[in-house]
Amino acid sequence: MSFRLGLFAALSSAFLGSTAASAALIAVTSYEMNNGNGAAQFTGPTGGQNYFDFTYTQTGQSTPHVNAGRNGSGDNMIPTASNSNAAPLSGGTGLLTNNVIPTANYSEVSGISSGQYVGWKYQDPTILFHLATGQSVSQIQLFVASNNSGGLVGAPQNVTVTTINSQTNQSTLVAATMTAAAYQNSPFTTVITLTLDQPLSSDLDFSLQLFRGPLLADGRQYYADHVQGYDPANPAASSCVGFCDPDPAPWADPKVVSGFREYAAGGIFGPLPDGPVGLEPWIMVSEVRFLSAVPEPSTWMMMIAGFAGLGYMAMRRKRSALAASPV
């Protein structure tokens, strides 16, 4: 192989190898989902336990969407996937794409005035994203409340990606590798990265579904204190710490009944078995990003220097050929 071809091959290899190391953000033009959940029965519409997409605003509008401050489960005391269509959001953007990643615990940045998380209880939410066209999606990142956040909140155990062709309405499950790591600026945030096996056009719509993981330590403790001691055969003889949280329970204060046994503990009465069991009630998401692989600045410099070198070599060859030709 000539020096010129070898240099070109080496530079091309460096260029291609570097694309995964640096990435450019692809704009989200809008996303669709059912709004998050909250605990309005405890705190009122401006309380800190409402995890709605408060700032969600449709494109071209100046005020938030009519459903931005509404509970995704409506007036249901116990939110579940079966009653999770009370506040659909579409045609705009909000907290999930405002380029703000919280560094504090979700409990410190929640509510209508300072909310930076959208949260869903007892369900695996689906979010559909529409992106700026003409680009290539290589990675997707989700910034979520981590497993050490407390309050029965846990990072998703799995996230699936489905693309939808808006022209044909054909949907395709996307092959991707999922990794999770602590966010460098906060111990309360986990960064979930989905690296696509093959880059895909941003002309497609991307649907993400987030799946809850098994009960964490705080979920098991809640069960042990407030659910396990309940005796359905003899409610009056129940032994719970502070209060019992059975469901359904007409004899109990409805503000206490949370649906934990049915929707988190999987309907289990008595001790929980060892190992992973049930599902942690809450998922909290602060930001979702779509990334397109681009070469690093150093790689561009190498390419420019390389092509300059090739040009110099070509010029020398031409001068040598002219000097050697007969007059």
Side-chain angles (χ1 to χ4, degrees):
M1 180 185 293
S2 68
F3 171 78
R4 181 169 58 180
L5 289 177
L7 178 62
F8 179 78
L11 290 171
S12 298
S13 177
F15 173 81
L16 294 173
S18 71
T19 57
S22 180
L25 199 62
I26 300 174
V28 174
T29 57
S30 67
Y31 60 85
E32 303 173 15
M33 66 181 193
N34 190 56
N35 207 356
N37 302 126
Q41 65 269 32
F42 296 117
T43 61
T46 61
Q49 295 183 41
N50 292 328
Y51 307 107
F52 309 148
D53 199 342
F54 285 109
T55 67
Y56 189 95
T57 303
Q58 290 180 310
T59 302
Q61 299 296 312
S62 59
T63 56
H65 190 285
V66 63
N67 288 334
R70 293 180 177 174
N71 193 331
S73 293
D75 296 328
N76 291 284
M77 300 289 284
I78 303 175
T80 67
S82 62
N83 60 34
S84 63
N85 300 306
L89 300 171
S90 64
T93 56
L95 294 178
L96 300 186
T97 56
N98 65 355
N99 291 321
V100 176
I101 303 172
T103 56
N105 187 288
Y106 78 92
S107 63
E108 299 178 30
V109 285
S110 299
I112 193 169
S113 60
S114 60
Q116 280 302 326
Y117 281 94
V118 182
W120 293 270
K121 187 178 184 181
Y122 296 148
Q123 54 192 286
D124 301 323
T126 297
I127 314 169
L128 179 65
F129 292 88
H130 307 282
L131 311 179
T133 59
Q135 300 178 67
S136 179
V137 180
S138 296
Q139 286 187 332
I140 304 170
Q141 288 185 327
L142 298 91
F143 296 81
V144 303
S146 61
N147 287 347
N148 64 345
S149 299
L152 304 178
V153 172
Q157 185 180 41
N158 187 32
V159 180
T160 60
V161 183
T162 301
T163 56
I164 301 173
N165 187 319
S166 59
Q167 302 298 320
T168 63
N169 205 32
Q170 179 181 0
S171 60
T172 304
L173 185 64
V174 175
T177 300
M178 174 176 159
T179 58
Y183 180 45
Q184 61 181 355
N185 295 328
S186 173
F188 303 110
T189 301
T190 293
V191 184
I192 294 176
T193 301
L194 301 166
T195 302
L196 309 187
D197 286 5
Q198 297 290 335
L200 295 172
S201 171
S202 64
D203 294 0
L204 298 169
D205 297 330
F206 286 76
S207 178
L208 308 184
Q209 185 169 13
L210 288 59
F211 294 88
R212 292 182 292 154
L215 285 178
L216 301 173
D218 63 343
R220 285 179 167 271
Q221 188 60 51
Y222 184 92
Y223 179 88
D225 288 346
H226 306 299
V227 181
Q228 179 179 331
Y230 166 67
D231 182 358
N234 188 3
S238 297
S239 57
C240 304
V241 178
F243 64 90
C244 284
D245 186 6
D247 54 278
W251 50 83
D253 182 344
K255 291 184 179 181
V256 173
V257 179
S258 69
F260 190 96
R261 181 191 64 79
E262 182 176 358
Y263 298 109
I268 297 174
F269 283 106
L272 288 176
D274 294 333
V277 65
L279 295 170
E280 193 75 352
W282 284 95
I283 286 176
M284 298 279 178
V285 184
S286 67
E287 190 78 9
V288 180
R289 292 179 172 177
F290 291 81
L291 306 173
S292 176
V294 297
E296 296 176 339
S298 59
T299 303
W300 281 115
M301 294 301 293
M302 289 178 61
M303 291 292 289
I304 292 170
F307 284 118
L310 290 175
Y312 176 72
M313 292 290 293
M315 184 181 297
R316 286 193 59 185
R317 284 176 178 272
K318 184 176 181 180
R319 287 178 177 175
S320 298
L322 289 174
S325 62
V327 179

